[in-house]
């Protein structure tokens, strides 16, 4: 009985090591699966922006606010990281604000902190690609800010989105651990009853 438990303990320990070595993260491509629109939250703070998901899974379009009021506003589209790794995406930005991009900057959000990606003072379209690291459980996403909520809104199309998901080996390793445990319990019952 003791040797069976020792073997089981060694098998579980080996499986945990294997999961640790193999199971970092894989990448999900596009706004689908674990990063489908139903997994995201649109938040408007003192503004009336919106998200258009008709291009999913290839792209989404985020439009900032222009509610006619005054003062700062933010339109954010966020989700939780399903695993640790890199988030990458392309972005295409335009602004209808007569005063240009300074008044409606676009950027990404990580755990509540906004990082601007657009350049200030331009009335012409801007594009780029970017990546940043996340840890599993981090809240991240995209945002269009407005400094004044008047004179036109900005829009950004986000495409070629990729984000980390748990490695399939991690799931397989956890299933293997469960199977080993079930097998050991079954053998223990057979030994006890037999």
């Amino acid at each position: 009985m003791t040797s069976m438990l020792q073997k089981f303990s060694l098998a579980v320990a080996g499986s945990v090591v294997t999961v640790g070595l193999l199971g970092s993260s894989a990448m999900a491509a596009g706004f689908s699966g674990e990063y489908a629109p139903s997994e995201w939250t649109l938040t408007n703070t003192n503004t009336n922006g919106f998200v258009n998901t008709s291009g999913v899974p290839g792209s989404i379009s985020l439009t900032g606010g222009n509610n006619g009021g005054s003062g700062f506003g933010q339109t954010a589209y966020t989700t939780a990281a399903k695993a640790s790794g890199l988030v990458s995406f392309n972005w295409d930005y335009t602004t209808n604000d007569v005063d240009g991009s300074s008044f409606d900057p676009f950027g990404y959000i990580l755990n509540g902190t906004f990082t601007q990606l657009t350049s200030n003072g331009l009335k012409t379209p801007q594009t780029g690609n970017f990546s940043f690291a996340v840890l599993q459980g981090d809240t991240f996403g995209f945002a269009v800010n407005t400094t004044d909520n008047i004179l036109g809104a900005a829009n950004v199309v986000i495409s070629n989105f990729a984000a980390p998901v748990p490695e399939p080996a991690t799931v397989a390793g956890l299933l293997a651990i469960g199977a080993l445990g079930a097998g050991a319990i079954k053998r223990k019952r057979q030994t006890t009853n037999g």
Side-chain angles (χ1 to χ4, degrees):
M1 176 66 129
T2 303
S3 64
M4 182 177 66
L5 289 176
Q6 288 172 337
K7 288 179 187 176
F8 173 69
S9 296
L10 289 174
V12 169
S15 295
V16 171
V17 170
T18 302
V19 168
L21 292 175
L22 296 178
S24 53
S25 64
M27 296 300 285
F31 294 94
S32 63
E34 295 189 48
Y35 291 103
S38 61
E39 299 294 319
W40 295 72
T41 301
L42 176 68
T43 305
N44 277 308
T45 305
N46 188 37
T47 195
N48 62 341
F50 58 92
V51 65
N52 181 338
T53 59
S54 65
V56 164
S59 66
I60 59 137
S61 174
L62 187 65
T63 300
N66 192 51
N67 65 15
S70 61
F72 175 83
Q74 183 180 72
T75 300
Y77 195 55
T78 58
T79 191
K82 311 307 182 210
S84 299
L86 286 180
V87 172
S88 62
F89 58 95
N90 292 352
W91 54 274
D92 293 293
Y93 169 91
T94 57
T95 183
N96 293 317
D97 194 306
V98 297
D99 292 322
S101 58
S102 301
F103 294 88
D104 297 285
F106 161 73
Y108 72 94
I109 294 177
L110 180 58
N111 294 323
T113 300
F114 175 81
T115 301
Q116 184 174 329
L117 295 177
T118 50
S119 296
N120 287 333
L122 301 178
K123 295 183 180 180
T124 56
Q126 299 180 43
T127 63
N129 54 51
F130 195 76
S131 62
F132 60 95
V134 293
L135 297 175
Q136 183 175 2
D138 280 352
T139 299
F140 75 91
F142 312 103
V144 177
N145 289 347
T146 176
T147 61
D148 55 11
N149 264 302
I150 56 172
L151 303 178
N155 175 268
V156 63
V157 175
I158 297 161
S159 60
N160 292 323
F161 171 77
V165 292
E167 186 73 44
T170 302
V171 174
L174 293 174
L175 291 175
I177 291 170
L180 286 171
I185 291 169
K186 182 178 178 184
R187 281 191 295 273
K188 179 181 176 195
R189 285 186 184 148
Q190 288 172 348
T191 305
T192 305
N193 295 334

